[in-house]
Amino acid sequence: MREYYRDFLIRNWEKGDRTRAASVISYVLSEYGLGWEPNGADRDVLQVEECYLATGGEFWVIEHQSQIVGTGAYYPITRGEKAVEIRKMYLLPSVRGIGLGKYLLQQLEAEIATRGFQQIWIETASILVEAVKLYESSGYQSETGVETARCDRVYVKYLD
């Protein structure tokens, strides 16, 4: 992935991004009163190679003026049929509200579709109001079966 949205570069994760990507995610979580869980729900950010790249997924970062300002990722899952889960979709507050999140989600969905997947699952927390609004306005349907402790919502979208 190497795509621009305005002057934001969305690109594939590189080893040197690990600490900066983790910092973005932990900052956004703390902004909403949610904890950073390096040994739990956020272990995948510290082990991108094993959790995403080795499993057929992808992890992207969003750069603005050489700073990482967001992340987005997905990997195949066994829930559903030919399914992936979108994970780690986080944007710093300074870059929200300009359509970047919607564009990132559309790019993830397009890449997932080209790889032949048929379902996209997303888990989130109700407190992440902007994320919930984005998913619901993008055609994701509420489901049951939350698997991540800090999440209380799960969504699915079926691809054509």
Side-chain angles (χ1 to χ4, degrees):
M1 162 55 77
R2 187 170 184 85
E3 187 74 36
Y4 282 91
Y5 176 81
R6 299 184 187 180
D7 57 345
F8 295 89
L9 171 63
I10 303 170
R11 63 167 177 79
N12 289 324
W13 179 89
E14 300 168 358
K15 276 189 178 182
D17 297 330
R18 192 181 323 274
T19 302
R20 295 186 303 153
S23 293
V24 166
I25 294 166
S26 65
Y27 179 86
V28 173
L29 289 168
S30 70
E31 174 189 6
Y32 289 91
L34 299 171
W36 165 252
E37 301 174 13
N39 297 314
D42 301 308
R43 178 185 64 82
D44 57 332
V45 178
L46 303 175
Q47 299 176 356
V48 170
E49 298 90 344
E50 297 88 350
C51 295
Y52 292 93
L53 308 183
T55 64
E58 294 188 78
F59 195 105
W60 301 344
V61 297
I62 299 99
E63 279 189 0
H64 186 250
Q65 299 174 345
S66 300
Q67 299 297 315
I68 294 179
V69 297
T71 60
Y74 70 89
Y75 56 57
I77 58 172
T78 55
R79 171 171 37 192
E81 198 169 308
K82 294 189 90 177
V84 299
E85 182 176 348
I86 288 180
R87 295 184 46 85
K88 304 307 181 213
M89 230 183 103
Y90 292 102
L91 296 175
L92 290 177
S94 60
V95 300
R96 292 186 204 139
I98 59 169
L100 180 58
K102 184 175 185 175
Y103 183 80
L104 175 61
L105 182 59
Q106 290 169 343
Q107 294 302 306
L108 286 164
E109 290 174 347
E111 183 60 30
I112 288 164
T114 64
R115 292 181 174 222
F117 292 103
Q118 296 175 352
Q119 297 177 9
I120 302 173
W121 292 78
I122 298 176
E123 290 192 4
T124 193
S126 295
I127 197 164
L128 300 172
V129 177
E130 299 91 340
V132 169
K133 183 178 174 184
L134 174 63
Y135 302 142
E136 290 179 353
S137 69
S138 298
Y140 286 81
Q141 302 299 311
S142 186
E143 258 297 343
T144 57
V146 174
E147 296 175 349
T148 306
R150 74 170 168 228
C151 295
D152 62 355
R153 291 180 181 237
V154 62
Y155 293 95
V156 65
K157 185 174 190 176
Y158 298 93
L159 303 175
D160 297 334

